[in-house]
Amino acid sequence: MRVGIIGVGMTAFRPSTPEYNWKELMFEAASRAYADAEINPREDVDSFLTCAEDYYEGFGIFDEFVPDQLGAALRPTCTVSGDGLQGLANAYMQIQTGLVDVAVVEAHSKASDIVTLDGVIEHALDPIWNKPLGAHPFVVAGLEADAYLRATHTSPKALASVVAKNHGNALRNPLAAYGAAVDVEDALRSPERFAPLRALDISNPADGCVVLVLASERAAKKLHSNPVWIRGVGWASDSPSLETRDWSDAAYTRLAAEMAYRLAKLRRPATEIDVAEVDDRFSYKELQHLESLGLAKKGEAGKRVVRGDYGPEGRLPVNVSGGSLGCGNVFEATGLHRAAEVALQLRGDAGVRQLDGVRVGVAQSWRFIPSATGAVAILEVPG
Amino acid sequence: MTKVGVIGAGMTLFRRRLEETGKELCFEATKMALDSAGLTRGDVDMVVCGTAPDAFDGVAMKGEYLLDGSGGYRKPYTRVFTGGGTGVFSTIAGWWHVASGLADVVLVVNEEKMSSCQPHPQSVFAHIWDPILDRPLKPNLVWIFAMEMNRYMTVYGVKKEDIARVAVKNKRNAVGHPCAQLADPNITVDDVLNSEVMAWPVQRLDISPPSDGASAVVLASEDFIRKRRIKDRAWISGVGWCIDSTMWTDRDLVFPEYVARAAKHAYKMAKIDEPRRQIDFAEPYDPFD
């Protein structure tokens, strides 16, 4: 049975949203998604899924704080403690069982409410082996960036090209928080942070919410919608321990992509995929993820971004949305935002950043520091 | 819809487990479950983890932390979380992994480690309330159950003695269970009624104690069960889940409509129309008797 996306709802991403609490943020995105899908959540939806983590939310049991603003009170509702794409994968499976016809997936960030964001991220480090070292958690990204640059002979200029491209793309995305005209030289000269990463290599937090409505082929037909089909999903985790994971290859993305390509029956992803939205919360991650997705050979992504292959006019447009560097780090909503962006591109609803002739797209996510977990979704519209 | 069976189970001792990390508890339960199914980690396609507030263990993104102990290394692994209902819900999530046709064998692992929460896990429950409307009143978990219990007793005319019988029955049932924390063969209704009052009508022996432990089940598709000629299996014939409003002031404190709706869904799927006659035994959640 085919499963499709029939509704997309997003709030703007902003460094802070003092005018909204988290419930109002969720309500806005949900209302937009329901209007887009032309459905009534109290009658047409069989299952609601939220992607959230207690510590980011500041609650003991955040699951309890989800239903009302989504229209989900006294309905089947659950939390997937993971990235939005993992929530999408679970909704996809629920529909594949035949038990659920229409499912709603929500993910959000209210990072501006978190007083000690670095402390919360640090709290996810192994409490016995890593946390007592007292290092800032972004040291993990610095070390990994170093391992990646060495293993693939990628130049710092490649990272700066990712930064310039994504901030520039964000200028054409009205939802993005951090659009800016940054050139490669600016990025190379920005202050050093976690060597080899510089200030501009690191995405900044943002608030925002994304809601997608998924439907079975049968339900989509009944609702007279024109779905973006989910051809494949995949998700995987490498070792949670820093000491035993692969530091240069994003094994979690390689495995997730293998699964998604298998389900999508995509044999030559590098030639069949027209548009990609991949996690770039640190600039090197975009390149590492493109290689793990099989969209570039190992060590080539850096050369190709410098050549301009990944720009909106390039051979494979990557993060036309502006990515996390341009839109902001929306934590668990990151992957769902990327799926929403790919869906908009495939529907032809991406406004001034609309690409021509895109039919197959990939969205990829990573669960941020210190995880080695990621997910992949392949979306498609009929040619 | 692929038919799904439970083919293995494992459960650790429930106690204050100071010598083991959460990962190790997961490993113990996982190993027992796989051994009982006659499988190894190599047979497992996907892993689902169920665990409740991260603050109990004191680790953010607790699902990621428990991943290797749960057998999730380099596999599709997801954590689900529905508060106190997580234990049963994770098996439902495991069910849809198999019923969707995406996996043949799924390992479902649940873990909770409350002893790392100092001075008492009750302090985590200070953070389960609405930050504007409830938290300034400094409520704790016992209060809300006290209000529910009081309302239940008042509306249905149930006596405190009758409710105490649940604690007596369950603590006596636990005698001989190798994992049980508070088995007591000699407990009486009077013991419960004479125990310390926490928030009337809830008394100490009406409440389940904090604990550390893990449990795991192995789920498999009908095809896999037939191919491997597995005889020991229980089929999952129905599932249902539901959540009520966030605002407990808007909920019906007497009748848990969310349970009724979840049950109705599961019964319909399992083609059960007379549950009182057709169901042979039950294991409902009893954090308070």
Side-chain angles (χ1 to χ4, degrees):
Chain A
M1 189 196 313
R2 288 204 292 178
V3 178
I5 296 172
I6 62 161
V8 178
M10 283 191 272
T11 67
F13 303 116
R14 289 289 171 262
S16 73
T17 44
E19 72 280 17
Y20 270 178
N21 70 15
W22 87 96
K23 282 189 185 175
E24 292 163 319
L25 208 58
M26 288 166 71
F27 181 80
E28 184 189 320
S31 303
R32 286 175 185 274
Y34 301 152
D36 186 44
E38 294 180 42
I39 56 162
N40 175 351
R42 302 299 290 161
E43 287 168 8
D44 300 324
V45 177
D46 305 308
S47 171
F48 298 83
L49 298 94
T50 285
C51 305
E53 276 286 345
D54 274 6
Y55 270 91
Y56 287 145
E57 307 294 341
F59 284 92
I61 303 175
F62 184 72
D63 185 61
E64 286 292 311
F65 292 85
V66 168
D68 303 74
Q69 60 273 28
L70 295 182
L74 284 173
R75 309 298 296 278
T77 304
C78 71
T79 294
V80 170
S81 307
D83 174 84
L85 273 190
Q86 285 176 292
L88 182 101
N90 278 279
Y92 172 90
M93 287 190 281
Q94 286 184 354
I95 294 173
Q96 288 287 3
T97 65
L99 193 66
V100 167
D101 264 331
V102 178
V104 165
V105 188
E106 185 274 345
H108 63 272
S109 157
K110 193 76 166 81
S112 67
D113 276 356
I114 307 174
V115 180
T116 53
L117 184 58
D118 291 350
V120 167
I121 300 167
E122 187 191 354
H123 213 51
L125 292 169
D126 187 289
I128 297 166
W129 299 109
N130 303 136
K131 206 176 152 209
L133 299 173
H136 190 285
F138 284 12
V139 163
V140 177
L143 288 170
E144 194 186 51
D146 189 56
Y148 170 77
L149 294 183
R150 283 170 199 268
T152 57
H153 306 289
T154 299
S155 69
K157 197 179 164 196
L159 303 191
S161 302
V162 171
V163 172
K165 167 175 74 70
N166 293 0
H167 279 295
N169 285 350
L171 283 174
R172 307 207 301 165
N173 182 353
L175 300 180
Y178 298 103
V182 174
D183 64 28
V184 173
E185 295 309 312
D186 295 332
L188 282 171
R189 274 197 308 266
S190 74
E192 286 193 315
R193 286 288 185 267
F194 304 91
L197 297 176
R198 293 171 179 275
L200 287 179
D201 287 311
I202 302 168
S203 61
N204 289 301
D207 295 353
C209 181
V210 184
V211 174
L212 295 185
V213 183
L214 271 57
S216 65
E217 188 165 15
R218 182 179 52 204
K221 205 168 275 169
K222 223 168 78 189
L223 292 163
H224 308 292
S225 45
N226 247 339
V228 173
W229 299 109
I230 302 173
R231 265 185 65 179
V233 289
W235 65 104
S237 299
D238 197 1
S239 171
S241 130
L242 300 182
E243 295 79 5
T244 55
R245 66 171 60 156
D246 191 329
W247 282 76
S248 61
D249 175 34
Y252 53 90
T253 297
R254 182 167 44 78
L255 295 168
E258 278 169 15
M259 177 178 168
Y261 294 154
R262 192 178 66 238
L263 282 173
K265 297 189 176 69
L266 215 59
R267 284 200 192 82
R268 286 184 298 277
T271 55
E272 291 177 74
I273 286 172
D274 304 317
V275 55
E277 287 279 332
V278 305
D279 195 293
D280 62 329
R281 281 183 279 186
F282 298 94
S283 56
Y284 76 96
K285 276 287 181 190
E286 175 169 314
L287 305 174
Q288 187 193 36
H289 288 148
L290 285 169
E291 290 170 8
S292 303
L293 282 164
L295 299 179
K297 287 196 186 112
K298 201 157 183 180
E300 273 192 359
K303 291 181 191 111
R304 290 186 60 183
V305 74
V306 172
R307 271 207 311 260
D309 276 6
Y310 300 142
E313 318 287 332
R315 290 171 67 182
L316 174 67
V318 176
N319 289 335
V320 180
S321 65
S324 294
L325 288 164
C327 293
N329 177 1
V330 285
F331 294 86
E332 304 294 26
T334 304
L336 207 59
H337 165 224
R338 302 318 176 77
E341 174 72 15
V342 172
L344 291 179
Q345 285 287 354
L346 299 184
R347 286 195 336 195
D349 288 339
V352 291
R353 63 189 189 287
Q354 180 64 48
L355 304 164
D356 287 335
V358 283
R359 206 178 65 75
V360 180
V362 61
Q364 178 269 346
S365 73
W366 162 55
R367 277 204 76 199
F368 206 54
I369 291 175
S371 86
T373 290
V376 172
I378 313 293
L379 308 183
E380 182 195 52
V381 286
Chain B
M1 189 185 296
T2 306
K3 211 168 146 188
V4 186
V6 182
I7 58 167
M11 201 188 291
T12 70
L13 175 69
F14 296 152
R15 280 288 190 286
R16 187 175 277 252
R17 303 283 298 261
L18 297 178
E19 291 188 349
E20 292 93 352
T21 62
K23 284 176 195 271
E24 288 164 319
L25 292 174
C26 286
F27 177 79
E28 200 182 315
T30 300
K31 177 96 173 45
M32 285 166 80
L34 286 173
D35 286 350
S36 80
L39 302 181
T40 64
R41 206 182 77 88
D43 297 310
V44 175
D45 298 320
M46 298 182 185
V47 180
V48 175
C49 173
T51 182
D54 299 51
F56 282 152
D57 297 55
V59 183
M61 293 165 79
K62 189 168 41 156
E64 302 294 329
Y65 172 68
L66 298 174
L67 189 156
D68 45 4
S70 306
Y73 171 67
R74 296 216 167 176
K75 289 190 191 294
Y77 169 91
T78 312
R79 172 192 174 193
V80 291
F81 180 12
T82 52
T86 304
V88 171
F89 186 76
S90 57
T91 301
I92 297 177
W95 170 83
W96 75 55
H97 278 63
V98 180
S100 64
L102 256 62
D104 264 331
V105 179
V106 168
L107 184 60
V108 180
V109 189
N110 288 288
E111 180 266 9
E112 211 60 75
K113 191 163 173 58
M114 298 173 90
S115 67
S116 18
C117 191
Q118 298 294 328
H120 191 278
Q122 193 59 238
S123 54
V124 170
F125 291 121
H127 296 274
I128 64 167
W129 310 94
D130 186 282
I132 297 161
L133 298 170
D134 298 337
R135 274 190 222 179
L137 301 171
K138 300 193 175 159
N140 68 40
L141 192 69
V142 184
W143 287 20
I144 195 169
F145 282 98
M147 282 188 282
E148 276 196 355
M149 192 159 154
N150 211 344
R151 188 99 189 97
Y152 184 77
M153 287 165 62
T154 308
V155 171
Y156 293 132
V158 176
K159 288 203 231 69
K160 186 69 213 292
E161 292 76 15
D162 299 334
I163 292 178
R165 280 174 211 283
V166 176
V168 171
K169 167 179 74 70
N170 291 2
K171 285 178 202 291
R172 287 189 177 198
N173 279 351
V175 174
H177 193 301
C179 304
Q181 177 163 343
L182 277 193
D184 186 347
N186 303 314
I187 188 171
T188 64
V189 168
D190 280 343
D191 291 339
V192 180
L193 296 178
N194 292 328
S195 64
E196 183 186 350
V197 174
M198 311 304 285
W200 183 255
V202 174
Q203 292 174 270
R204 181 173 287 279
L205 291 180
D206 291 317
I207 311 180
S208 56
S211 190
D212 301 347
S215 64
V217 291
V218 183
L219 309 183
S221 66
E222 189 177 15
D223 265 3
F224 183 89
I225 291 171
R226 206 180 44 234
K227 270 187 209 143
R228 292 286 186 106
R229 302 205 175 115
I230 294 166
K231 295 275 180 288
D232 284 339
R233 76 277 186 282
W235 299 110
I236 298 178
S237 54
V239 297
W241 65 101
C242 185
I243 194 169
D244 206 339
S245 166
T246 304
M247 308 313 293
W248 56 270
T249 45
D250 294 350
R251 294 180 204 156
D252 183 342
L253 294 178
V254 175
F255 184 77
E257 179 68 25
Y258 50 96
V259 176
R261 290 195 184 198
K264 202 172 150 191
H265 193 278
Y267 291 151
K268 190 178 158 201
M269 199 178 145
K271 298 192 174 63
I272 285 181
D273 37 30
E274 285 183 77
R276 272 170 240 172
R277 200 173 54 78
Q278 289 167 279
I279 284 173
D280 299 324
F281 74 107
E283 287 276 334
Y285 185 37
D286 63 336
F288 291 72
D289 53 11

